[in-house]
Amino acid sequence: LAKTTQPISMDSYEGQEVNITCSHNNIATNDYITWYQQFPSQGPRFIIQGYKTKVTNEVASLFIPADRKSSTLSLPRVSLSDTAVYYCLVANTGGGNKLTFGTGTQLKVEL
Amino acid sequence: GAVVSQHPSWVICKSGTSVKIECRSLDFQATTMFWYRQFPKQSLMLMATSNEGSKATYEQGVEKDKFLINHASLTLSTLTVTSAHPEDSSFYICSAPRRSSWDYEQFFGPGTRLTVL
């Protein structure tokens, strides 16, 4: 399983755009990149997933360069409720394949 | 979207007793489910893979006789913490993969807070 490296923590203010970068130098050809959000005492929640280039949904964008050795989760105009831990995972997401969580990034959003 | 539930959401027990935690996929079938443990301020640690109709696969360092896993149906996996001790106090989370339009998506349960006195 590819190992991921993320910043331990980030601080931001409401209304700002937040970009969290994850490095995964040994990503395999069949691996997808997935980001999860976790609030205290809750299970992780899927945010976005991608394989290459750019993916956008209603809550975030995911930027993946051509070499796929890193990825950036972009959260537009964060609010206080976006304060959470964000995990970047890299795995072949076949139904029977397990996920390995790294340390995650604690995002703190202030007024 | 798909929902995975866990029961109970929290449990307090005395040292030496056994505790069963249920994980259910409410609107889809899951031949595989995963169990994680999370200590305060730490990341999720995969404990085992639960396989419907067969034995669970445990991660290195996880005692299979202490953490009994039963995947009796396509929508239910149970984790039993046997002879629980205070060091087993943790947040236990399950997940189940469901086929999505692009691949598989893992859906996580809300977690179960276990406190062993």
Side-chain angles (χ1 to χ4, degrees):
Chain A
L1 297 172
K3 182 179 178 180
T4 59
T5 303
Q6 310 173 226
I8 295 296
S9 64
M10 295 183 68
D11 295 328
S12 185
Y13 294 96
E14 276 203 317
Q16 298 292 309
E17 177 184 79
V18 171
N19 296 307
I20 306 174
T21 297
C22 177
S23 67
H24 27 80
N25 292 316
N26 58 338
I27 187 170
T29 303
N30 294 331
D31 286 342
Y32 281 78
I33 300 158
T34 312
W35 286 79
Y36 287 87
Q37 175 192 56
Q38 186 183 28
F39 297 111
S41 296
Q42 294 186 27
R45 183 175 72 101
F46 173 90
I47 301 176
I48 198 166
Q49 183 183 64
Y51 184 81
K52 61 181 180 180
T53 63
K54 177 183 176 182
V55 180
T56 297
N57 61 23
E58 60 275 10
V59 298
S61 294
L62 179 60
F63 299 91
I64 306 169
D67 66 6
R68 306 202 321 125
K69 293 183 182 299
S70 67
S71 59
T72 299
L73 174 71
S74 181
L75 304 172
R77 298 180 299 282
V78 295
S79 64
L80 293 175
S81 62
D82 293 316
T83 295
V85 178
Y86 292 82
Y87 293 98
C88 162
L89 282 81
V90 174
N92 181 338
T93 58
N97 291 333
K98 55 190 178 184
L99 300 178
T100 299
F101 282 78
T103 58
T105 298
Q106 171 67 64
L107 172 65
K108 183 178 180 182
V109 181
E110 300 175 291
L111 289 173
Chain B
V3 177
V4 174
S5 70
Q6 285 184 237
H7 178 80
S9 56
W10 60 270
V11 56
I12 301 173
C13 70
K14 293 181 178 180
S15 185
T17 61
S18 294
V19 175
K20 179 185 286 187
I21 302 170
E22 294 183 347
C23 176
R24 294 181 184 273
S25 55
L26 297 183
D27 54 355
F28 67 101
Q29 295 181 332
T31 57
T32 301
M33 292 184 176
F34 301 96
W35 286 96
Y36 297 82
R37 180 168 54 180
Q38 186 175 33
F39 293 108
K41 304 291 185 182
Q42 294 187 23
S43 182
L44 284 76
M45 184 189 77
L46 180 67
M47 298 175 66
T49 301
S50 175
N51 304 298
E52 189 269 334
S54 64
K55 292 182 179 180
T57 304
Y58 292 83
E59 295 299 301
Q60 189 173 7
V62 178
E63 300 175 59
K64 62 180 182 180
D65 293 331
K66 180 170 184 62
F67 299 99
L68 302 179
I69 292 173
N70 187 339
H71 197 145
S73 76
L74 289 172
T75 59
L76 173 64
S77 174
T78 60
L79 169 68
T80 301
V81 183
T82 62
S83 186
H85 292 284
E87 58 265 31
D88 299 321
S89 297
S90 187
F91 192 53
Y92 292 86
I93 306 169
C94 69
S95 74
R98 191 190 72 169
R99 188 81 184 183
S100 65
S101 58
W102 64 89
D103 192 37
Y104 282 91
E105 184 178 334
Q106 288 275 357
F107 291 90
F108 288 83
T112 297
R113 175 75 59 191
L114 171 62
T115 301
V116 184
L117 302 177

